[in-house]
Amino acid sequence: MAVALAFAVQAALVALLFAVYGYGRHLADGRPDVAFANAERVRDLQRVLRLPDEAALQEAALRWDGWARIANEYYVRVHFPATFLFLGWIWFWRRAAWPRLLAVVALSLAVALAIHTLYPLAPPRLLPGGDFVDLMNVYGPSSYATEPGEGMANQFAAMPSLHVGWAVLVAWGVIRYGRGRWRWLAVAHPVVTLLVVVLTANHYWLDGIVGSVIVATALAVTVRLERRRGPARAGLSVRRDSVGA
């Protein structure tokens, strides 16, 4: 009973964090003119950085459109379940790491919300000119039930991509706290996620890069929150990770 109550409290806390974040994103909506201007700036910066052109990559990929709905399904249905399953695994089986992981989620949500508010950004799929195909609209399923600027969802919050940031978190956590060689397959999750968000025109490369940097920074500044109980009690290995654990 005590374990169930403790889990319910933590689950409610996570739900509250997401609710505050979602409502904050909604309040940050409403500046499409700024969001489209920022989109041009992001694309210009990516050209300076010589990042691959998302429109050209999408055009090449659409020569075979069988992947489009699969990519949309991945974007819509994998992100949150994978994150919540990972957090549940941490809470039940790697409890010593829970305070740190919860802090990383809270910090990344707070920083992302601040960026959404200060730097609204239209995703590639909404840009005029026909450079990009809105795959969610053309092939389905879509994450959005309303037009941009309507409803609760803020579609001008492309920067940063927490899809990519939290995929990095999940991969890091599975490798850090998991056992066996199979844990290294988790690296595929952020790689696939980055390709999906870019090729579906939901995000720019820089969105994914910034999302990853936010999570990596949060991991670095929360390292002291991980309680050291010893490998036997905490279920943690004594490996050191690349962000100072």
Side-chain angles (χ1 to χ4, degrees):
M1 181 63 71
V3 173
L5 179 59
F7 176 73
V9 169
Q10 295 302 312
L13 178 58
V14 172
L16 178 61
L17 288 173
F18 278 91
V20 171
Y21 172 71
Y23 187 63
R25 275 174 56 111
H26 169 67
L27 294 179
D29 200 2
R31 292 192 288 163
D33 53 338
V34 178
F36 284 111
N38 286 340
E40 291 302 320
R41 296 186 183 97
V42 167
R43 296 191 74 186
D44 289 343
L45 177 57
Q46 290 193 154
R47 293 187 189 100
V48 172
L49 296 175
R50 298 182 180 275
L51 294 174
D53 181 68
E54 296 99 335
L57 286 175
Q58 188 192 59
E59 181 181 5
L62 283 173
R63 292 171 186 167
W64 178 69
D65 64 1
W67 63 272
R69 186 172 180 88
I70 297 173
N72 288 340
E73 293 281 359
Y74 192 95
Y75 183 86
V76 172
R77 308 194 192 283
V78 171
H79 171 59
F80 284 112
T83 303
F84 291 144
L85 284 172
F86 167 71
L87 291 175
W89 173 68
I90 289 292
W91 195 88
F92 280 107
W93 286 284
R94 302 293 186 267
R95 189 76 55 82
W98 176 252
R100 183 183 186 186
L101 271 295
L102 182 62
V104 170
V105 170
L107 283 173
S108 59
L109 285 172
V111 173
L113 183 57
I115 295 175
H116 296 330
T117 303
L118 299 173
Y119 198 82
L121 180 64
R125 62 186 179 80
L126 294 182
L127 297 182
D131 291 342
F132 295 93
V133 177
D134 185 348
L135 295 190
M136 289 198 300
N137 184 50
V138 174
Y139 295 92
S142 175
S143 298
Y144 305 102
T146 60
E147 293 297 319
E150 300 176 359
M152 285 291 293
N154 180 0
Q155 299 192 49
F156 299 117
M159 174 71 76
S161 171
L162 288 184
H163 272 72
V164 177
W166 285 345
V168 170
L169 177 63
V170 170
W172 174 87
V174 170
I175 293 170
R176 163 70 173 160
Y177 303 117
R179 300 188 182 95
R181 296 178 181 178
W182 289 102
R183 73 185 192 278
W184 291 99
L185 292 177
V187 171
H189 183 40
V191 173
V192 172
T193 300
L194 178 59
L195 290 175
V196 164
V197 302
V198 168
L199 290 177
T200 56
N202 282 290
H203 289 282
Y204 308 91
W205 295 111
L206 283 176
D207 300 339
I209 292 170
V210 172
S212 301
V213 169
I214 289 171
V215 166
T217 303
L219 283 168
V221 301
T222 58
V223 63
R224 294 184 181 275
L225 291 178
E226 187 173 302
R227 300 190 299 274
R228 297 294 185 180
R229 298 179 178 178
R233 292 183 61 192
L236 300 174
S237 73
V238 295
R239 295 188 305 274
R240 295 179 62 85
D241 60 71
S242 60
V243 293

